[in-house]
Amino acid sequence: MLVVDDDPTVAEVVSGYLERAGYLVDRAADGAVALARAAAHRPDLVVLDLMLPGIDGLEVCRRLRAQGPVPVIMLTARGDEDDRILGLEVGADDYVTKPFSPRELVLRVESVLRRTRPVPAARPLRAAGLAVDPSARRATKNGTELALTLREFDLLAFFLKHPGRAYAREDLMREVWGWDFGDLSTVTVHVRRLRGKVEDDPARPRLIQTVWGVGYRFDDTEATAGQTGATGAARSAGREHPVTEKETGA
């Protein structure tokens, strides 16, 4: 584990709880040192404070993602929802708002790490030009590898396993994140990010559709119909209407 926080008390408490849980922990007090430590020895997970001197947590997260996949849990003292969403937008897998329970943080760490473990002998999933290999944790679109975060990968795999069924955000949080409670905007942000990587036109999603008053549905039949020509497109256009996230509450 790499714990990045300029508050020595917070860093010590977090590191202590993680070490007692059996993890080997390294610490950094600023963004530059964190990036250097991560480059020298790739951590299994980073606990990253949003407010850091010099290079802030958002930029550190961006650079970590550019180097390769690594789970990130972001710590923030800010109560503004926009700041939390921004952390998810740059690729954080989860966030915890200060003040927080160190025990809860350890549970979040364990939940994220469980999702990184390969699934033995899991069959590949394919639909609408997408292919997901859960064992290798590799996803492609039309043969091109997708750069997905931990949660984006799990969300896509879940959708491919359950095509045609509508899920509320609460259902997705429970099934994909493994949480019975939490900020549902986490799901909304991850769906938006995933659409940006798998949809031909994220502004008019055909695969991950918003279901009014419910949540989201993966519909590979819509994508197939859209590829058959003008007839399929016209049929789809007659059935759909623009729906916003606010209208669905999803």
Side-chain angles (χ1 to χ4, degrees):
M1 304 289 114
L2 175 60
V3 175
V4 188
D5 200 307
D6 63 323
D7 185 327
T9 300
V10 172
E12 183 176 353
V13 169
V14 170
S15 298
Y17 270 81
L18 289 173
E19 287 169 347
R20 284 194 291 275
Y23 298 109
L24 181 64
V25 180
D26 194 6
R27 287 163 53 176
D30 61 61
V33 173
L35 290 169
R37 297 272 176 84
H41 186 74
R42 193 73 174 168
D44 294 312
L45 182 142
V46 179
V47 178
L48 177 64
D49 188 28
L50 178 64
M51 300 296 292
L52 293 171
I55 306 173
D56 67 19
L58 293 175
E59 182 60 25
V60 171
C61 188
R62 288 190 188 96
R63 297 188 189 184
L64 287 172
R65 289 298 187 200
Q67 295 173 8
V70 58
V72 175
I73 296 179
M74 192 162 281
L75 304 180
T76 172
R78 297 177 177 177
D80 191 341
E81 183 180 6
D82 290 341
D83 294 314
R84 300 197 300 271
I85 290 176
L86 188 56
L88 296 172
E89 289 282 9
V90 299
D93 296 287
D94 193 7
Y95 68 85
V96 177
T97 303
K98 297 177 181 179
F100 58 87
S101 163
R103 291 181 180 178
E104 179 188 353
L105 177 60
V106 172
L107 291 176
R108 295 287 185 97
V109 166
E110 292 173 347
S111 173
V112 170
L113 288 177
R114 278 197 302 270
R115 298 285 176 172
T116 67
R117 294 169 187 153
V119 180
R123 64 181 181 85
L125 306 166
R126 293 183 176 85
L130 297 168
V132 170
D133 185 343
S135 298
R137 294 197 67 85
R138 182 173 182 265
T140 61
K141 177 182 178 182
N142 298 325
T144 301
E145 188 155 1
L146 297 170
L148 301 180
T149 67
L150 170 70
R151 296 300 188 189
E152 290 166 1
F153 182 93
D154 291 338
L155 187 59
L156 179 60
F158 183 81
F159 278 137
L160 264 64
K161 287 178 183 176
H162 305 92
R165 178 176 173 181
Y167 286 91
R169 292 185 300 170
E170 294 89 346
D171 297 330
L172 293 172
M173 178 160 282
R174 182 176 58 255
E175 297 293 338
V176 178
W177 276 257
W179 307 339
D180 290 323
F181 62 92
D183 186 349
L184 296 180
S185 65
T186 300
V187 178
T188 304
V189 171
H190 279 80
V191 168
R192 183 165 63 244
R193 285 177 54 87
L194 184 58
R195 281 172 168 166
K197 297 178 181 182
V198 304
E199 299 281 359
D200 293 331
D201 181 2
R204 297 178 61 85
R206 301 181 64 84
L207 293 173
I208 305 173
Q209 297 185 359
T210 300
V211 181
W212 188 85
V214 180
Y216 303 103
R217 178 183 65 234
F218 182 80
D219 194 346
D220 58 337
T221 60
E222 274 294 298
T224 303
Q227 294 168 1
T228 62
T231 300
R235 183 170 60 250
S236 175
R239 183 163 64 246
E240 294 182 357
H241 62 278
V243 180
T244 65
E245 303 288 351
K246 289 183 179 179
E247 288 174 321
T248 65

